[in-house]
Amino acid sequence: SNIVAIVGRPNVGKSTLFNRLLERREAIVDATAGVTRDRHYGKSDWNGVDFTVIDTGGYDVNNDDVFQGEISKQVQLAVDEATSIIFMLNVEEGLTDTDYEIYEMLRRSNKPVYIVVNKVDSAKEELAATEFYQLGIEKYYTLSSATGSGTGDLLDDIVNDFPTTEYKDPFEGLPKITIAGRPNVGKSTLTNALLDTDRNIVTDVAGTTRDSIQTLYNKFGHEFVLVDTAGMRRKSKVSEDLEFYSVMRSIRSIEFSDVVIIMVDATLGWESQDMNIFGLAQKNRKGIVIVVNKWDLIEDKHTNTVRDFEKSIRDKIGQFSDIPILFVSALTKQRILKVVETAMTVYEDRKKKIKTSKLNEVMLPIFEGTPPPANKGKYIKIKYCVQLPTPSPQFVFFCNLPQYVKEPYKRFTENQLRKEFGFTGVPIEVYFRQK
Ligand code: GDP
């Protein structure tokens, strides 16, 4: 999807605009622990066009002197990752040297830049805003923090200017797999280990949706595409350690994939950023495989090491319990084919469709044996079920009193579906509806 980034000096009002753009829609990060505290990303839409908004202000520091550091990183991030950039200025503070520097970086980027002057609440301020023409710009938009007006015109233009050329996927229909994870967990090492085994099977297709690279893998009877955004295998100009940046990339590759391999460093364990990636994959209903890498570095491997490690992860990810967890070494290539095989199983499970007759034949007796608890003397009867024709498994159960079917019973239903039909590593959606 298209990405709109908001950049500007600290305190010009970036997060105010961000929140306004997101008002109508829940921030995608809200349900994801950890990222929640700083709401950096959100989905928005305008005139029926969806897009992602980034507030690059999460690392704001109250000091213009840091321009060469934090702000330039922030601008570089926007330039690298975004489709369109909103450059915010503030009429109260007027034009500063930093604004000139930021604008210079943006101008060189060749991305569409929308200049937005904030806090224009009166005719006097309208006049004052003309000062910003000194940047050498043709046009700016004004926003009023008092009335909230001005976003409509801005969004009309941004959405209008989104690239219209539909990207043609050269690997349409093949499984798309991404390796996500924190910096230095070994993503590139695994990618290379898989591909280096036989160079001539590799096909890189660059220049797809903004720099994402797809590599076709076809070996040992498996054919799939590794999705790698913004050159995971080439080191970026911007510090790889910037959490914001790597999460950003993960979001993009996750949206584009069927299966997400979440890679964790065995020496560090499952950390909050892993939870964020997990949350994103789950929320986007992608297949998930957890790979604990650098297992070669764990010296003290007693009989329970794997079991304990696995338990510590499962305790943190909660309900969704049948996600495969593998222990590998990308460096020594130990068990890396198992990663491929498992990802393919998850892929197949995710697109599996259960015949309606089979589904009812299996599930109705289960419901009869263990019906939902009666509510105030009213019995709930589940009469019929179907799987929806969606990319990931979603089931609808028709019953007389769906409002009385509570969360524990939904989980019971999900677990029964997993047990009976096998949906390894795949998020399942279960709905109860009135017949
Ligand atoms: P990325 O940032 O996730 O792509 O991580 P890299 O693939 O660049 O790996 C970061 C560092 O970890 C490099 O020095 C790798 O050699 C090292 N590394 C990766 N996988 C393993 C592994 O399985 N075992 C060990 N011991 N080191 C690894």
Side-chain angles (χ1 to χ4, degrees):
S1 69
N2 289 297
I3 297 174
V4 178
I6 309 172
V7 303
R9 280 186 297 114
N11 299 316
V12 289
K14 294 189 291 295
S15 53
T16 315
L17 176 62
F18 175 77
N19 288 326
R20 199 182 296 166
L21 296 182
L22 261 54
E23 257 162 27
R24 284 156 296 121
R25 286 199 26 190
E26 167 215 23
I28 47 163
V29 290
D30 273 358
T32 325
V35 184
T36 319
R37 56 197 146 76
D38 347 273
R39 286 166 27 128
H40 290 328
Y41 314 90
K43 291 262 187 195
S44 189
D45 66 283
W46 186 254
N47 297 341
V49 182
D50 290 335
F51 56 94
T52 297
V53 192
I54 319 170
D55 173 10
T56 61
Y59 293 83
D60 269 3
V61 243
N62 286 312
N63 185 351
D64 266 15
D65 294 344
V66 295
F67 176 74
Q68 282 309 328
E70 290 308 311
I71 301 176
S72 70
K73 253 192 232 169
Q74 181 203 92
V75 173
Q76 189 62 49
L77 165 77
V79 164
D80 284 355
E81 302 288 327
T83 322
S84 327
I85 300 162
I86 295 175
F87 176 27
M88 281 206 85
L89 297 154
N90 182 330
V91 76
E92 278 172 6
E93 292 165 59
L95 199 52
T96 71
D97 288 347
T98 310
D99 293 329
Y100 277 105
E101 288 177 74
I102 295 175
Y103 185 63
E104 187 50 30
M105 285 180 79
L106 295 178
R107 205 180 49 77
R108 282 197 308 259
S109 75
N110 290 321
K111 298 240 167 141
V113 176
Y114 304 85
I115 295 157
V116 172
V117 183
N118 195 23
K119 302 192 187 167
V120 180
D121 298 328
S122 68
K124 187 165 149 255
E125 284 151 348
E126 285 285 356
L127 189 64
T130 56
E131 170 189 14
F132 293 108
Y133 282 123
Q134 288 175 54
L135 281 169
I137 57 177
E138 298 290 327
K139 179 184 171 106
Y140 58 77
Y141 302 78
T142 55
L143 294 184
S144 161
S145 44
T147 66
S149 68
T151 37
D153 291 347
L154 172 67
L155 288 175
D156 279 347
D157 288 355
I158 291 179
V159 167
N160 235 328
D161 297 345
F162 279 154
T164 47
T165 43
E166 265 304 301
Y167 158 64
K168 183 85 186 64
D169 184 355
F171 300 123
E172 176 107 44
L174 284 178
K176 302 280 192 322
I177 297 174
T178 194
I179 307 171
R182 279 172 286 141
N184 291 316
V185 292
K187 299 181 294 295
S188 323
T189 309
L190 177 63
T191 306
N192 292 329
L194 287 174
L195 302 175
D196 279 351
T197 45
D198 191 352
R199 265 281 156 213
N200 56 25
I201 55 161
V202 174
T203 321
D204 275 359
V205 179
T208 56
T209 40
R210 291 174 304 277
D211 279 353
S212 88
I213 296 170
Q214 300 191 53
T215 307
L216 181 66
Y217 175 101
N218 189 347
K219 211 169 144 59
F220 304 112
H222 299 292
E223 189 174 28
F224 63 87
V225 173
L226 277 178
V227 179
D228 174 358
T229 54
M232 205 150 69
R233 277 165 288 160
R234 97 177 116 79
K235 285 295 175 194
S236 160
K237 290 163 277 192
V238 179
S239 163
E240 280 287 324
D241 298 327
L242 200 62
E243 168 174 338
F244 185 32
Y245 195 74
S246 56
V247 172
M248 178 72 228
R249 277 186 186 168
S250 304
I251 290 179
R252 230 168 56 188
S253 5
I254 287 170
E255 284 180 349
F256 201 66
S257 303
D258 303 302
V259 177
V260 181
I261 294 173
I262 304 177
M263 190 176 253
V264 185
D265 186 324
T267 62
L268 300 173
W270 184 266
E271 295 188 322
S272 71
Q273 201 186 326
D274 301 316
M275 201 64 212
N276 293 337
I277 296 170
F278 176 77
L280 281 165
Q282 197 181 20
K283 202 146 194 262
N284 283 285
R285 300 187 181 124
K286 304 299 186 179
I288 301 171
V289 178
I290 295 173
V291 166
V292 180
N293 189 35
K294 307 194 186 178
W295 199 241
D296 56 297
L297 295 180
I298 303 296
E299 278 173 12
D300 182 23
K301 290 196 195 76
H302 53 84
T303 34
N304 291 336
T305 314
V306 165
R307 203 195 63 187
D308 293 348
F309 207 105
E310 195 177 320
K311 185 173 183 311
S312 73
I313 295 178
R314 294 209 190 276
D315 284 349
K316 291 188 185 111
I317 62 180
Q319 298 301 338
F320 182 7
S321 59
D322 70 347
I323 295 179
I325 301 181
L326 303 172
F327 295 81
V328 315
S329 169
L331 197 66
T332 68
K333 303 192 178 181
Q334 190 195 7
R335 288 169 67 79
I336 63 168
L337 269 178
K338 184 78 186 159
V339 175
V340 171
E341 279 160 12
T342 308
M344 296 306 278
T345 307
V346 169
Y347 172 79
E348 293 299 333
D349 275 1
R350 181 169 177 266
K351 61 172 199 175
K352 189 157 63 187
K353 299 283 181 286
I354 312 299
K355 277 214 182 77
T356 306
S357 55
K358 181 82 188 155
L359 189 65
N360 283 275
E361 189 186 308
V362 172
M363 294 306 286
L364 295 185
I366 292 175
F367 293 139
E368 249 157 60
T370 314
N375 189 296
K376 297 176 193 124
K378 291 198 172 95
Y379 292 94
I380 301 155
K381 176 131 177 71
I382 300 162
K383 293 165 185 157
Y384 187 70
C385 41
V386 287
Q387 179 176 4
L388 300 177
T390 44
S392 72
Q394 303 187 32
F395 296 88
V396 182
F397 297 88
F398 293 100
C399 62
N400 54 340
L401 297 163
Q403 67 274 28
Y404 294 141
V405 180
K406 299 292 185 237
E407 210 44 55
Y409 198 80
K410 288 181 187 162
R411 273 204 299 277
F412 165 79
T413 306
E414 177 182 334
N415 289 335
Q416 294 302 315
L417 287 166
R418 291 188 186 283
K419 201 173 107 208
E420 296 296 333
F421 302 106
F423 287 104
T424 308
V426 181
I428 295 181
E429 230 46 74
V430 166
Y431 307 101
F432 286 82
R433 294 275 179 276
Q434 188 91 43
K435 175 77 184 157

